[in-house]
Structure formats: C-alpha cells, structure tokens
C-alpha cells in the first residue's frame, strides 16, 4: 500500500474545505456512534477475543464511553467552533480582535492495544470535531479489534477523509516518515521518543499519552471498605492493563494488614474464590506480556495470589508487600495484575517518594484529611488526580485527559480535544480610518513621550 498516496488524497480533500463545514463534522460524529451501536456484538466479541474482556466491562469502558463522548461533543461543538472575542487595547483601536479555531489537516492516530476501541475512536472524535482528516493505525497486538476497525471505518465514515492502516513495526515506521499535520500516539515512553523524533523531522506537533507508575496514598483516616473496593476495581479491571490504573500503594505500617485484608475481601467479592474461572475477570493480552509480569514476583512478600498460566494468558490478582524500590516491579510500569504495597513513615514520606520519581499520568489519595487533600492537589504533579477514588475522572467529559513530562504531553477529551487538534488563529480586524501619526516614522521625542503615557 502506498501510504503517501493516502496522505496526498486527504490533503487534497482537506484543501477543498469540506471538513471545515460543521454539518460534515456532525454527520461524521453521528456515524461513529452508529458504527458502535450497529456493531456492538461484533466489537464485544473482538474485545473478548483479544483481551478476554467481560462484556459489561467492555461495554462500559469502551463502547458506551465512545457513544457518550460523541453525544457530549455534538452538544457543544457549535459553541466551540465559534470565534472567541478578546479585548482590543487602546493602541490598536479602532478594531476588533478574536480567536478563530481552524483545523490542522491530516492527523495520524496511533492507538494502543489495552482499550483498542476506545483509544482509536476517542482521539478520532476529537480530531473530527476540530475538522481534520485522519489515518488510524490500530495496534497489531489486539488483532481482532484492529481487523474490525479496518473493516467498519470505510463503511461508516467519509473515505476521502479517513483511512485505516493495519500492520506492525514496518507499517508504523513508514507512516512516521510522512509529513502529517499532527500525530497522536498512545503507548509507552520508548516508542513515544521514536514518534517524537520522527515528528521533529517535519516539525509536526505531537500528542503523547504514555502512562507511567500512578501512585496511591492510603491514609488511616479513609473509609477502608470503600477505599479497598474502589482500589480493587481500578487495579484489576482489564486485568490491570490500564494506563491510569493505580500502580502501587503507599501507606503506613499499621495500615498494611487491614488494607491487605480488605483488598482480599474485594477480590473474592468481585471474582470469587478462583478468578481464573470468573466471567468477570479478563486476560493478559498475550503470552509475552504474561511472562513479563511473572518476572516481577522476585521481590517483596506475596501476600495474595501469585499464580499465572502463560499458555492461557492468565495472571491472578496479586498483592506484594514491600518489594525493593529499585526492583523491576517498582521501576517499570506494571501494566498488569500485580499490586505492590510500600510502607512509609507518614504522608510526608509518601509525598517525597512520589516527587522523587517521574511525573505520573495519574495520582490517587484516599483520606478524610482535608489538609492532605489540598496539599496533594497543590504539590503532586500528574496528568490527572482523584481524591478518594481511582480512574473515574475519565468519566467527566469536561476534564482534559493527558500526561505531563514523561507521562505524556497534550490533552484530549471534550473541549480540550477540540482545542488540541485545532489551530487557534489570532485575528485583528480594522476599518479604513486614518491612524494617529505616532505609529509611523519619523520617530520623535514627542511621539515617544505620548506613547509612554498611553501605555
């Protein structure tokens, strides 16, 4: 396949100004919703095939997420697309100043395998809302979903504006050589650096969602039962393969035993005595990643779980207490079913440990202490945060989503996505009225002094 010809076709179509039309954008957004609704079972089947996702979990976190996102954008897109008036200072009066959002062009969307439907279509919704074309590159690690996306997108969306490219490293490398107007990548930091390097050759802006180790602090003042339920759900949904999953817990020594007990109770309540037999517990995406996770069990005390089946891509919900801080489970993003608990002296010790590490995609705290809550928000730098919960900020469409530093750059979701894939064009409009002579040469002391007084 000639990828340059795809981009050339999109650029030609973009230059026709069809994608700038709000009617066209709204129609394409409605078609995404129609695609999801009309092919719900096929999409659920593909997610089950690739990741063993339970139907309800897949529907909530992928399909319903997409249709809800479309509804939110449709509700607000006309307002977002309007010029935004700004004040005009005296020195350039008379005149009118405004910001006009305009589309950027063709966007390359490189989606991830862990939520392969959501992470293909959520960025696409933002891209369309801003009036752009797109090439979608689904992850080859989730082949069933990749295949169905490649099949359905041409059936529902404008083929002049949208294309799907399947494949692996060779296809991705070839796409990255092209001069897209924006690149959106979801995945790990190593590939993120490759994407950014390739984009630099064409001065192409990038949006990178890179994950990281999202910490949790659990304070003695929290409601332990509710905290454990929310933590267990957030950690073991999708078998731990969530970029904003709580990666590890920091808590004081006196809290470890009751917290472990509460987490064990929630694992049993959610997945039964044998999670391997539970229809509510998913699988690791492939054998390679299952084996990778098995290598994280060599440090710390395993107080729950620890069993795995590489052939069947199963990894039991596992809790480890006090692994070494320089062990792989505490330096790598886990992206799986292992939950380390690290003991600290107090809240300040936990905070200093987090600050000493790379900025995470998310950070979570469970506490009734309002001073702690405020200090957490003020001093812990992360892409997103929850107080007394995990992940649920992702259900608020008006909140931006993205990382900071090593966990990513750029944001999407709701208006932040519209803004991210738009160029905010500055415009000043002036009438043909004679200007004051102070603006023009010759520059005299009288003009200098007058301008100083005006400013």
């Amino acid at each position: 396949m000639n990828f340059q010809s795809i981009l050339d076709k999109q650029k030609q179509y973009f230059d026709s100004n069809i994608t700038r039309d709000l009617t066209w954008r709204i129609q394409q957004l409605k078609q995404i919703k129609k695609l999801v609704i009309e092919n719900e079972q096929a999409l659920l089947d593909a997610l089950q095939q690739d990741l063993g996702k339970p139907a309800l979990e897949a529907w909530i976190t992928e399909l319903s997420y997409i249709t809800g996102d479309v509804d939110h954008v449709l509700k607000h897109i006309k307002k977002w697309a309007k010029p935004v008036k700004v004040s005009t200072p005296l020195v350039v009066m008379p005149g009118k100043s405004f910001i006009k959002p305009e589309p950027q062009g063709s966007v390359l969307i490189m989606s991830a395998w862990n939520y392969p439907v959501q992470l293909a279509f959520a960025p696409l919704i933002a891209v369309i809302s801003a009036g752009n074309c797109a090439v979608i590159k689904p992850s080859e690690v989730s082949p069933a979903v990749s295949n169905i996306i490649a099949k359905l997108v041409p059936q529902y969306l404008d083929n002049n504006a949208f294309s799907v490219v399947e494949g692996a490293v060779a296809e991705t490398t070839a796409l990255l050589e092209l001069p897209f107007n924006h690149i959106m990548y979801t995945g790990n930091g190593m590939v993120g650096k490759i994407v950014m390097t390739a984009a630099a050759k064409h001065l192409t802006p990038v949006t990178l969602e890179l994950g990281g180790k999202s910490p949790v602090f659990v304070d003695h003042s929290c409601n332990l039962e509710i905290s454990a339920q929310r933590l267990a759900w957030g950690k073991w949904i999708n078998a731990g393969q969530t970029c904003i999953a709580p990666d590890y817990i920091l808590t004081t020594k006196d809290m470890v035993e009751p917290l472990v007990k509460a987490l064990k109770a929630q694992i049993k309540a959610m997945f039964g005595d044998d999670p391997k037999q539970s229809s509510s517990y998913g699988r690791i995406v492939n054998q390679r990643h299952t084996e990778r996770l098995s290598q994280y069990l060599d440090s710390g005390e395993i107080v729950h779980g620890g069993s795995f089946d590489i052939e069947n891509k199963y990894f039991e919900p596992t809790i480890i207490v006090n692994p070494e801080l320089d062990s792989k489970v505490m330096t790598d993003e886990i992206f799986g079913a292992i939950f380390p608990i690290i003991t600290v002296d107090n809240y300040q010790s936990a905070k200093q440990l987090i600050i000493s590490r790379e900025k995470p995609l998310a950070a979570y705290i469970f506490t009734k202490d309002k001073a702690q809550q405020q200090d957490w928000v003020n001093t812990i730098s992360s892409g997103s945060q929850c107080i007394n919960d995990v992940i649920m900020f992702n259900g608020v469409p008006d909140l931006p989503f993205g990382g900071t530093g090593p966990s990513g750059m750029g944001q999407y979701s709701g208006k932040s996505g519209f803004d991210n894939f738009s160029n905010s064009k500055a415009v000043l409009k002036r009438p043909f009225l004679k200007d004051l002579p102070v603006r023009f040469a010759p520059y005299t002391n009288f003009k200098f002094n007058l301008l100083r007084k005006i400013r």
Side-chain angles (χ1 to χ4, degrees):
M1 182 179 289
N2 187 339
F3 298 148
Q4 181 65 58
S5 66
I6 294 175
L7 185 59
D8 290 343
K9 177 182 176 182
Q10 288 191 2
K11 288 185 177 295
Q12 183 177 359
Y13 195 63
F14 179 78
D15 289 342
S16 72
N17 292 325
I18 291 173
T19 69
R20 294 175 184 262
D21 184 0
L22 277 182
T23 302
W24 179 88
R25 301 187 206 181
I26 290 169
Q27 177 61 24
Q28 297 305 304
L29 292 169
K30 288 180 177 178
Q31 285 295 106
I32 290 180
K33 183 176 180 180
K34 185 178 181 182
L35 181 157
V36 172
I37 292 173
E38 292 185 351
N39 298 278
E40 178 178 297
Q41 191 57 54
L43 290 165
L44 292 175
D45 290 345
L47 289 165
Q48 169 65 29
Q49 183 177 336
D50 283 336
L51 290 143
K53 288 199 180 192
L56 178 58
E57 180 180 299
W59 187 85
I60 292 171
T61 61
E62 305 238 31
L63 309 194
S64 178
Y65 182 94
I66 294 303
T67 57
D69 197 15
V70 169
D71 289 341
H72 179 76
V73 173
L74 288 175
K75 184 178 179 180
H76 298 283
I77 187 172
K78 291 181 180 178
K79 179 181 178 181
W80 297 343
K82 287 182 178 179
V84 179
K85 294 180 180 179
V86 297
S87 61
T88 303
L90 181 62
V91 291
V92 291
M93 290 292 284
K96 294 181 180 180
S97 305
F98 59 92
I99 300 167
K100 172 61 177 175
E102 66 174 7
Q104 296 176 342
S106 292
V107 180
L108 174 60
I109 300 172
M110 301 169 63
S111 62
W113 52 260
N114 56 325
Y115 290 86
V117 176
Q118 182 200 131
L119 295 175
F121 286 107
L124 181 61
I125 290 167
V127 165
I128 292 174
S129 73
N132 298 290
C133 302
V135 173
I136 306 157
K137 170 59 183 67
S139 173
E140 71 279 7
V141 180
S142 48
V145 172
S146 177
N147 182 259
I148 197 169
I149 288 175
K151 175 184 175 183
L152 294 178
V153 165
Q155 295 178 22
Y156 285 83
L157 300 183
D158 188 336
N159 291 336
N160 291 307
F162 307 108
S163 294
V164 179
V165 173
E166 291 192 278
V169 175
E171 289 77 11
T172 301
T173 301
L175 286 169
L176 286 173
E177 292 175 356
L178 302 179
F180 285 93
N181 301 102
H182 199 123
I183 298 174
M184 165 79 205
Y185 168 73
T186 302
N188 63 63
M190 181 180 68
V191 177
K193 292 176 182 179
I194 295 171
V195 171
M196 201 168 181
T197 300
K201 296 178 182 178
H202 302 291
L203 297 179
T204 299
V206 296
T207 300
L208 305 176
E209 194 273 272
L210 304 178
K213 294 185 74 65
S214 298
V216 184
F217 177 71
V218 178
D219 186 63
H220 65 85
S221 68
C222 75
N223 182 310
L224 191 56
E225 181 180 0
I226 292 175
S227 299
Q229 184 180 46
R230 293 173 179 175
L231 282 166
W233 172 82
K235 182 62 180 183
W236 289 295
I237 192 172
N238 199 27
Q241 300 164 113
T242 305
C243 61
I244 50 176
D247 190 274
Y248 63 96
I249 295 173
L250 301 172
T251 194
T252 51
K253 187 175 181 180
D254 61 304
M255 283 292 293
V256 173
E257 185 176 344
L259 178 57
V260 169
K261 183 179 179 180
L263 286 170
K264 287 182 177 181
Q266 291 301 329
I267 292 171
K268 183 175 182 179
M270 293 181 186
F271 309 121
D273 291 324
D274 184 4
K276 192 174 186 179
Q277 305 304 320
S278 172
S279 62
S280 297
Y281 187 63
R283 293 295 182 266
I284 305 304
V285 69
N286 57 31
Q287 293 179 355
R288 179 174 64 86
H289 278 285
T290 311
E291 185 174 6
R292 173 185 63 83
L293 290 169
S294 72
Q295 297 170 7
Y296 291 160
L297 301 177
D298 60 354
S299 181
E301 178 188 1
I302 300 174
V303 295
H304 184 82
S307 69
F308 54 88
D309 179 347
I310 293 176
E311 183 179 354
N312 292 300
K313 302 178 291 185
Y314 169 76
F315 207 102
E316 183 181 7
T318 298
I319 304 171
I320 300 178
V321 174
N322 284 327
E324 295 295 328
L325 292 180
D326 61 354
S327 62
K328 291 188 71 174
V329 77
M330 286 304 298
T331 56
D332 296 353
E333 181 180 8
I334 296 170
F335 224 67
I338 303 170
F339 214 168
I341 300 176
I342 305 294
T343 57
V344 291
D345 292 334
N346 49 42
Y347 167 72
Q348 291 298 329
S349 299
K351 191 174 75 168
Q352 288 307 312
L353 192 153
I354 295 167
I355 292 173
S356 71
R357 295 182 158 221
E358 291 184 341
K359 294 180 180 181
L361 186 57
Y364 305 113
I365 185 170
F366 288 79
T367 180
K368 292 179 181 177
D369 187 326
K370 292 184 178 179
Q372 276 186 2
Q373 294 176 1
Q374 192 59 54
D375 184 68
W376 185 268
V377 173
N378 289 342
T379 61
I380 300 296
S381 181
S382 62
S384 301
Q385 294 184 356
C386 273
I387 298 170
N388 299 328
D389 208 339
V390 295
I391 295 179
M392 292 303 291
F393 52 72
N394 211 34
V396 183
D398 284 323
L399 287 177
F401 179 72
T404 177
S407 61
M409 61 183 68
Q411 297 173 315
Y412 68 101
S413 179
K415 187 172 188 299
S416 64
F418 175 89
D419 291 339
N420 188 54
F421 295 107
S422 296
N423 171 45
S424 296
K425 182 166 59 181
V427 181
L428 171 66
K429 180 181 179 180
R430 302 196 68 215
F432 288 113
L433 296 177
K434 191 170 180 63
D435 295 300
L436 293 174
V438 292
R439 174 180 169 183
F440 307 106
Y443 304 124
T444 65
N445 286 334
F446 171 78
K447 292 178 181 179
F448 201 174
N449 292 330
L450 180 60
L451 285 173
R452 278 176 168 164
K453 290 180 181 179
I454 294 174
R455 298 289 284 191

